[in-house]
Structures are given as structure tokens and as C-alpha cells.
Amino acid sequence: MKVLLFFGLVAFALADVTRFEGDKVLRLKPVLNEHVKVIRELANSVQLDFWTPENAEQVTVGMSVDIRVPAQYLDMVFTVLQQSGMQLEVFIDDVQEAVDRQIENKGSPRAHSYTKYNTWSDIESWMNSMATANSDMISKEVIGNTYEGRPMVVLKIGKKSGSTKPAIFMDCGFHAREWISHAFCQWFVNEAVTAYGSDSQMTSLLDQMDVFVLPVFNVDGYVFTHTNNRMWRKTRSRNAGSSCLGTDPNRNFNAGWCTTGASTNPCSETYCGTTPESEIESKNLADFIRKNKSIIKAYITIHSYSQMLLFPYSYTYELAADHDELMAVAKGASSALRSLYGTVYTSGPGAPTIYPAAGGSDDWAYDLGVKYSYTFELRDEGQYGFLLPESQIKPTCEETMLAVKYIAAHVQKNLY
């Protein structure tokens, strides 16, 4: 009886895992207003997963549009697109195969691996170990719990001193499926500690400043991508009056909240929530930054994909007061990144560079008074999208470190 019960539970768990056999990721190139209309009408009639931009309303003439089309809708979608004359290309032929290939079977390393996509439990254990083993450099603070009760842990990195130091805040993993983002924060923490004492720039930075790192912002969503649905993006909160779960946390901040590039529909991937900071994760982060507003001089948030380095604003086309300086720093950081592997990034304010989107944490931080506010969209440009193979973690993190160090050096020299 116990054996039957066990296998019954296993079968139930497996039945709840979303599979993507036969799904394809298409890149569309709308060059006419009619093409934009076709894409929006398709989105209203079938369940499309927008990879970039993040919803149909953000589609404009001339942009590249990446969508995941479930297998059961492919014939209809191909027919409609071909009739429209729109240019299309198949970027991922079978999404499930890409999901399976993303994780390379190297066995389970004894030590924490910085070239694997680690689970939340692995990351949580790693944070505890790092703080214990490097108590002179790392302290740990739980800034609150997620909707499902998991801790949101910030690591404070810097040489301990008797006085309060200026700081940089960096977070990863706003959107659950952007796994390369979570990998970078782990890489950064390890690199910072390892390089201290041998790398003059990192040593100077950590002597004079602290770096707050939140390795996983959307913990509940990240867990869900490992256990149930690799393509999950939002948080996991329950929405009153709807069977659809979760909010897009990067539409949930008080920065032009829900005015553009966001949705009031709880089933949308860009649902903005009921009010700014309605998500407990957003409020925990905002409260921490507000509490430390006097010392936080830069805010860096790591996302994927598109290979872009963005800064305010995304909720308006108006230029930020510090536009010229922010652009110069972004271009310098992008150049530093490109110097390693030749990876090309596009730099600019969010709205004209990628698409308008209200309620983002970077715009909110900037309006709060954090001058150097940047969003990274890491590799790639769509070949793998959110399913970047583990073999690309190392080069992605190595080149991104150069850009982050460039920004940090500028902040360190231009404290305000």
C-alpha cells in the first residue's frame, strides 16, 4: 500500500509539470501597421508567450518580436502569419528540447558551482556558507519573506569598518525564468570575495564602499521554474477574483505605475498589481532601499535577454536629468564588456531603446534619488532566449563583471 501511495504521489507531481514538446519560438518582423494588428489579434485569440517584448501592446513597427507558440496553435498561427506576408523565422524548433539541453549533465559537484543553474535550496545553503566562511567581508540580512514565506536574503559585501560606507545595491532574478540573472549575482559575490586583496580595483571598492546583493528577488517564482513550469515569469501571489496567479514585480513600483507597457489584467504577464508595491517582494525591496537611501549611490538590476544596458526612463520618453552622464557611463561599461568576447550591447534609456514600461524598479530608484540606476539585459539576442545553456554562464558572467566594475568605479569616484 505504501509503495502504491508513493508512486501515486510521484505521478501526481509529474502531472503538474508543464511540458513544451513541439512548442516553437518564432521571431517576427512587423514592418507594417497591419502586421502589428495581426500580432495583437493573434494574442487575443490564442495563448502566446511573449519573450520580447513582454506583451502584444508593446509591439511596434520595425521591432523584432519573439513569441513562444504552443504546439496545438502552430498550424493556425503559421497560416495567419503567412497570409499577412510578415517575415518570420523559427528561432527554437522545439522548446522542450531546448529546456532539456540547457542543463548539462555533469553530475552534482561537491562544492557550489558557479557554472550551473542552481536551485533555490542550493543558493540558500551557499549564502549561509559564504557568510560564515567570510565573516570579515560578508554579512547576511533577511529583508522580509516572500508571499509563500521564503526569506529574501541580502548579502552585504565589503571590508568591515567602524563607520558607515556608501553603497551599491544590486539584485537578480526579478523574473523567474531569467536564470542567467540569478547565476550572475552568485558569480559576482564569489568574484568580489576572491578578488579582494589581489585585484586593486575590487580591493579599493570594497575598502571604500559596500555592495548589497540580493541574489534572488522572486524566490517563489524561481522555485516554481525548477519544479513545475520552466517558463514561469511572475511572482506566485493569489489575485483576488481571478484564478491567475502572480504579478510582474517589475511593473509593481511607483514609477508611472500601470500607465504604459503594463496590464491591469491579472492573467497578463505584465500585470501591474492592485497598487504600487502590492507584492510583498516589491515592498520588502523598496523598504530596504528607502531605509538605506542616504548611503545607496547606485542601483543595478540584472535581467535577460537582449544584450542591453538601460537606464531611466522606461515609463516616459522624457530624458532623465542626468541623461548625459548616465549614457556616457553606460557606453563605457558596454565597451568594457565588449572587450572580452566581443559581445555587443546597446545602451540607452529604457523607453526608446527597448520599449516603454511603467512601474520598473530602476525608474523608481532613480526618482527616489539613486542617481546611478541601471538595468542589464544579459545574453543573448534570441538564439536561446531564456534558455541560455550552462556553457554560456562563465563567459556571460565574466564579461558582465567588467561592465559592473566600470559602473562601480565611476560611482566610487563621483559620490554625491
Side-chain angles (χ1 to χ4, degrees), residues 353-405:
T353 305
I354 186 166
Y355 40 68
S361 61
D362 53 349
D363 285 356
W364 170 82
Y366 182 79
D367 283 346
L368 186 70
V370 182
K371 178 179 177 182
Y372 300 106
S373 184
Y374 288 99
T375 294
F376 279 82
E377 294 284 354
L378 301 184
R379 292 190 189 187
D380 57 8
E381 293 184 295
Q383 180 183 0
Y384 297 104
F386 301 120
L387 301 174
L388 197 71
E390 286 183 330
S391 60
Q392 291 201 34
I393 294 177
K394 182 174 184 287
T396 301
C397 291
E398 287 176 334
E399 67 191 11
T400 307
M401 277 296 300
L402 298 180
V404 171
K405 287 172 69 175

Side-chain angles (χ1 to χ4, degrees), residues 203-232:
T203 302
S204 173
L205 173 67
L206 298 180
D207 279 343
Q208 297 180 30
M209 299 186 73
D210 290 323
V211 182
F212 295 115
V213 180
L214 177 60
V216 186
F217 170 88
N218 180 7
V219 185
D220 297 342
Y222 186 59
V223 170
F224 197 71
T225 62
H226 280 270
T227 59
N228 294 76
N229 185 341
R230 176 62 186 85
M231 289 296 106
W232 189 262

Side-chain angles (χ1 to χ4, degrees), residues 94-352:
D94 188 301
V95 173
Q96 187 59 50
E97 289 183 4
V99 169
D100 295 339
R101 286 196 305 267
Q102 186 180 27
I103 304 297
E104 298 173 359
N105 295 317
K106 301 175 183 174
S108 299
R110 292 187 178 182
H112 188 81
S113 175
Y114 297 95
T115 57
K116 289 188 69 66
Y117 291 121
N118 296 300
T119 64
W120 165 244
S121 60
D122 289 336
I123 295 171
E124 191 173 26
S125 296
W126 164 80
M127 288 189 291
N128 292 333
S129 297
M130 288 294 283
T132 301
N134 302 279
S135 57
D136 59 330
M137 290 288 296
I138 298 179
S139 59
K140 190 179 68 160
E141 179 179 348
V142 176
I143 65 171
N145 291 328
T146 65
Y147 178 82
E148 293 181 344
R150 298 180 177 92
M152 294 177 66
V153 181
V154 166
L155 299 178
K156 177 182 175 182
I157 310 168
K159 192 65 178 176
K160 293 186 177 177
S161 67
S163 58
T164 301
K165 297 189 292 183
I168 294 169
F169 187 97
M170 181 168 65
D171 60 51
C172 294
F174 254 70
H175 294 132
R177 63 186 177 184
E178 299 170 8
W179 282 8
I180 187 61
S181 165
H182 312 77
F184 177 71
C185 265
Q186 295 165 69
W187 184 282
F188 177 89
V189 171
N190 182 61
E191 181 77 11
V193 172
T194 303
Y196 184 83
S198 58
D199 180 319
S200 59
Q201 181 187 342
M202 185 63 75
T203 302
S204 173
L205 173 67
L206 298 180
D207 279 343
Q208 297 180 30
M209 299 186 73
D210 290 323
V211 182
F212 295 115
V213 180
L214 177 60
V216 186
F217 170 88
N218 180 7
V219 185
D220 297 342
Y222 186 59
V223 170
F224 197 71
T225 62
H226 280 270
T227 59
N228 294 76
N229 185 341
R230 176 62 186 85
M231 289 296 106
W232 189 262
R233 165 185 163 86
K234 301 191 288 182
T235 60
R236 294 291 300 163
S237 58
R238 294 195 175 276
N239 296 311
S242 173
S243 60
C244 298
L245 298 181
T247 293
D248 180 347
N250 210 36
R251 300 294 190 277
N252 193 229
F253 287 82
N254 194 12
W257 178 76
C258 222
T259 53
T260 183
S263 175
T264 56
N265 178 1
C267 296
S268 170
E269 294 291 352
T270 55
Y271 176 52
C272 60
T274 54
T275 60
E277 299 176 29
S278 58
E279 293 302 280
I280 187 61
E281 294 87 352
S282 305
K283 181 164 175 44
N284 289 340
L285 174 64
D287 283 347
F288 181 85
I289 293 178
R290 279 190 288 259
K291 183 179 72 174
N292 293 281
K293 175 185 171 184
S294 63
I295 62 170
I296 294 177
K297 306 303 179 183
Y299 173 76
I300 299 172
T301 183
I302 309 294
H303 293 249
S304 76
Y305 61 96
S306 287
Q307 294 176 195
M308 292 184 176
L309 181 48
L310 308 170
F311 53 86
Y313 284 111
S314 292
Y315 71 81
T316 176
Y317 282 96
E318 292 183 15
L319 298 182
D322 303 291
H323 172 84
D324 290 346
E325 183 182 3
L326 292 173
M327 177 67 90
V329 174
K331 286 186 174 180
S334 296
S335 179
L337 185 152
R338 186 170 62 250
S339 69
L340 190 58
Y341 294 110
T343 307
V344 177
Y345 268 54
T346 301
S347 302

